[in-house]
């Protein structure tokens, strides 16, 4: 059974930083694209950043220059470094991964971690 578990969320003041982590566990052969999504109250879930297995990255426009996505393939872990956080970044952040495991090829989601940016 593949699981993705996020950590690192919390409360931070505007201008502050947080680093989110998402570790995948289970009988994993490989993980293709990994992504971070967020969902604010009353809004649809949106893609924040993604990274391919080879390291190619993509960012939503509002986070470019402030957020950095990275991955450690040996640890099956993806990170999201968030700098210069703004109140509008407040949301539940979810990681997503396309995982090839003993069970087959599926997309998996983490349980989410709350990020609150407020003074």
């Amino acid at each position: 059974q593949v699981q993705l578990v996020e950590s690192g969320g919390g409360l931070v003041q505007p201008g502050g930083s947080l680093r989110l982590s998402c570790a995948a566990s289970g009988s994993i052969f490989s993980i293709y694209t990994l992504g971070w999504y967020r969902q604010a109250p009353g809004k649809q879930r949106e893609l924040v950043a993604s990274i391919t297995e080879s390291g190619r990255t993509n960012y939503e426009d509002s986070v470019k220059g402030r957020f950095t996505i990275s991955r450690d393939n040996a640890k099956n872990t993806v990170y999201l470094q968030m700098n210069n956080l703004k109140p509008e970044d407040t949301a539940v952040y979810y990681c997503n991964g396309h995982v090839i495991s003993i069970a087959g090829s599926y997309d998996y989601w983490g349980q989410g971690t709350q990020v609150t940016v407020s003074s």
Side-chain angles (χ1 to χ4, degrees):
Q1 179 74 10
V2 173
Q3 287 187 316
L4 272 61
V5 179
E6 300 105 335
S7 61
L11 172 65
V12 64
Q13 292 186 342
S17 298
L18 283 174
R19 188 191 195 211
L20 305 183
S21 300
C22 174
S25 63
S27 299
I28 296 171
F29 298 141
S30 63
I31 304 177
Y32 291 166
T33 298
L34 284 159
W36 285 98
Y37 291 72
R38 65 187 178 187
Q39 188 166 18
K43 295 188 176 182
Q44 289 189 333
R45 190 173 297 188
E46 64 175 359
L47 176 64
V48 176
S50 64
I51 184 167
T52 66
E53 191 173 17
S54 62
R56 183 182 304 174
T57 59
N58 178 61
Y59 296 93
E60 194 268 329
D61 285 347
S62 71
V63 308
K64 286 180 180 178
R66 300 188 298 122
F67 291 10
T68 301
I69 189 170
S70 61
R71 65 190 288 171
D72 184 333
N73 291 332
K75 295 181 179 180
N76 288 332
T77 300
V78 62
Y79 306 96
L80 186 68
Q81 177 67 44
M82 305 185 293
N83 297 328
N84 190 21
L85 282 159
K86 304 176 180 181
E88 51 264 41
D89 295 318
T90 296
V92 178
Y93 283 70
Y94 300 89
C95 71
N96 170 273
H98 188 79
V99 179
I100 314 301
S101 74
I102 195 170
S105 175
Y106 298 100
D107 279 341
Y108 292 87
W109 289 90
Q111 82 286 356
T113 185
Q114 177 71 45
V115 171
T116 303
V117 184
S118 175
S119 55

